[in-house]
Amino acid sequence: MECNCAVILAGGEGTRMKSQKPKVMAELMFRPMIDRVIDTAKNAGIEEICVVTGYRAELLEAHLAGRTETVRQTQRLGTGHAVMQAIPFIKRHRGGNVLILNGDAPFIDHRTVEDALYYHTTNGFVQTVISAKVENPFGYGRIVRDKNENFIAITEEASADEETKKINEINSGAMWFSADALLDLLSRITNENSKGEYYLTDTVSIALRSGLRVGAFTADNADAVLGANSRAQLQELNEMLRKKVIARLMADGVSVPCADGVMIDDSVKVGRDTVILPGVIIKEGCEIGSDCVIGPNTVLYKTKVGDGCVLNSVQAEEAEVRDHANLGPFVHLRPNTVIGEHVHCGNFVEVKNSTVGDHTAVSHLTYVGDSDVGKGVNFGCGVVTVNFNGKSKHRCVIGDDAFIGCNTNLIAPVRVGARAYTAAGSTITEDVPDDALSIARQRQTNKENWVIKRKPYREKKY
Ligand code: UD1
Ligand code: CA
């Protein structure tokens, strides 16, 4: 599909969303709808993509930041008008085919797009509309066919009579055009309708009147056409996707004994015999091994988890957790963290931009930041790697089998040698050699009878 391109319509305000953001940035399973639509185009092998922005264009352009071309539609005069803004882009693709996608229809999949292109080219159509049969066609453009089932027009809800409203085959908004025909058809769309908008959907009857061949490709996957115009519809789509993913995982051998609050992105892979407990959110870019227990109350983003791991009340982003690690409750893994095999991190432990070697235990109330921790290390309660001096960050290095005493501060940059000990309450500012004990705190002095002599207390009140 090298010479083909895509125009994604994303200028609309989405009045019914009542949002400060462009509608296409509303999230389906924690990903903006527009990102899913862009992925569909890319997965269908289309490299050249132009997004038409409009309402709060600057937000959308910043979000897209170089991932696609953009063109601004300064006034929202309809979907046909939106495509007109991309005419210079379309002109660069003369001779090829142009895919039009709606930025607010996030379920469109690349298979449907590819199958529609095949149908488009093998039938020699100038325009192929991707349609679907839905239970409730309200609000969508209806696919109108004549007695011989030939596709003759798309009629928008606002212009449809009672008979037309009963048609349940609808326009998904996704369509293929030959670039040259599209340029011609765009010049012939008018805004003579009840809304005074330039409807892209009018191209069907215009093309047919000129004797051009137009087709409607009915998608097998009826969900592919669903769009979200309101928060209620967005919730419906979220719920559909949520149930679909959970059903697929269970069919593949994952246990979800109670799906309450379980939201797993469709890109996520989970191994067999893993159990997902309530309150688990697994966002895009995660892979979970087999025989794990994930949850309750765990949020993962771009995180890889090995086999046999336990993650109880864990929040992790851009991290890797290797086989048989046992994390939680209440562990936070921040970006660029690798947790080794058989590691235990317990309550209120935060790890950032660090590697933690196999069999290391960080059991309570500890911050490990910008550190390279060896294997078999034991952290006492309340250890802090002091990685930030207010200006710059530095690393701590802890050798294999070291023992870091409770309430130790490790002032980076500092190195604790292999098998070395730090005494509880030490503030370590200098490297500790292998096998050494480092004590960095004042020696205790007891002042006998000090309280009796000084009477620092008030009279007892009880
Ligand atoms: C559109 C179709 C309808 C189809 C439905 C599928 C038209 C006239 N109607 O209706 O047949 O069934 O999609 O979901 O095409 N947009 C702009 N600029 C504008 C107007 C819209 O960029 O001036 C963008 C929107 O951001 C949106 C897309 O185009 O991503 C579709 O617009 P929307 O207003 O949602 O159209 P629908 O009423 O859903
Ligand atoms: Ca829409």
Side-chain angles (χ1 to χ4, degrees), residues 54 73 110 153 175 212 239 281 323 358 381 409 446:
Q73 183 193 24
H110 71 93
M175 40 188 96
L212 296 168
E239 198 54 20
I281 295 177
D323 297 349
D358 299 348
C381 180
N409 296 312
N446 292 342

Side-chain angles (χ1 to χ4, degrees), residues 110-341:
H110 71 93
R111 276 268 316 278
T112 301
V113 163
E114 286 163 335
D115 292 351
L117 177 63
Y118 181 78
Y119 181 78
H120 176 74
T121 50
T122 51
N123 283 293
F125 291 134
V126 297
Q127 176 178 8
T128 297
V129 173
I130 299 177
S131 72
K133 295 196 169 123
V134 295
E135 262 174 38
N136 177 12
F138 178 79
Y140 291 99
R142 309 299 201 282
I143 301 291
V144 183
R145 294 177 183 272
D146 68 10
K147 288 190 287 291
N148 304 319
E149 286 296 299
N150 292 317
F151 175 37
I152 52 168
I154 298 175
T155 303
E156 291 304 312
E157 179 81 34
S159 317
D161 59 26
E162 286 313 308
E163 273 312 296
T164 310
K165 282 185 182 165
K166 285 182 192 150
I167 297 172
N168 72 341
E169 185 180 4
I170 58 117
N171 166 31
S172 69
M175 40 188 96
W176 280 103
F177 284 92
S178 94
D180 299 274
L182 175 57
L183 290 166
D184 170 49
L185 292 168
L186 286 175
S187 69
R188 291 156 68 189
I189 299 176
T190 67
N191 62 350
E192 286 150 21
N193 52 56
S194 59
K195 288 202 169 170
E197 286 188 0
Y198 293 88
Y199 287 159
L200 181 63
T201 44
D202 283 350
T203 51
V204 173
S205 43
I206 297 171
L208 288 170
R209 263 188 266 126
S210 308
L212 296 168
R213 282 171 57 74
V214 169
F217 174 80
T218 316
D220 293 336
N221 168 16
D223 297 348
V225 305
L226 297 177
N229 296 310
S230 64
R231 305 229 183 211
Q233 278 175 346
L234 193 61
Q235 190 204 34
E236 258 173 56
L237 300 196
N238 266 300
E239 198 54 20
M240 283 174 62
L241 183 56
R242 188 177 94 84
K243 287 191 171 141
K244 201 170 102 184
V245 172
I246 291 171
R248 195 231 321 143
L249 291 178
M250 290 196 296
D252 288 348
V254 176
S255 277
V256 185
C258 170
D260 287 357
V262 174
M263 297 181 78
I264 302 176
D265 184 70
D266 44 338
S267 67
V268 171
K269 294 196 181 88
V270 183
R272 288 191 175 177
D273 292 312
T274 283
V275 181
I276 309 278
L277 296 174
V280 169
I281 295 177
I282 309 182
K283 300 182 185 175
E284 62 168 311
C286 291
E287 202 178 322
I288 314 291
S290 50
D291 287 307
C292 294
V293 179
I294 309 295
N297 305 324
T298 290
V299 181
L300 306 177
Y301 170 69
K302 289 192 178 165
T303 289
K304 188 168 181 261
V305 177
D307 297 334
C309 294
V310 175
L311 274 67
N312 174 7
S313 296
V314 172
Q315 302 244 344
E317 59 259 6
E318 295 172 44
E320 183 184 340
V321 178
R322 300 208 171 136
D323 297 349
H324 305 289
N326 181 327
L327 308 182
F330 316 120
V331 167
H332 187 186
L333 305 182
R334 292 170 52 203
N336 204 13
T337 287
V338 179
I339 299 292
E341 294 180 13

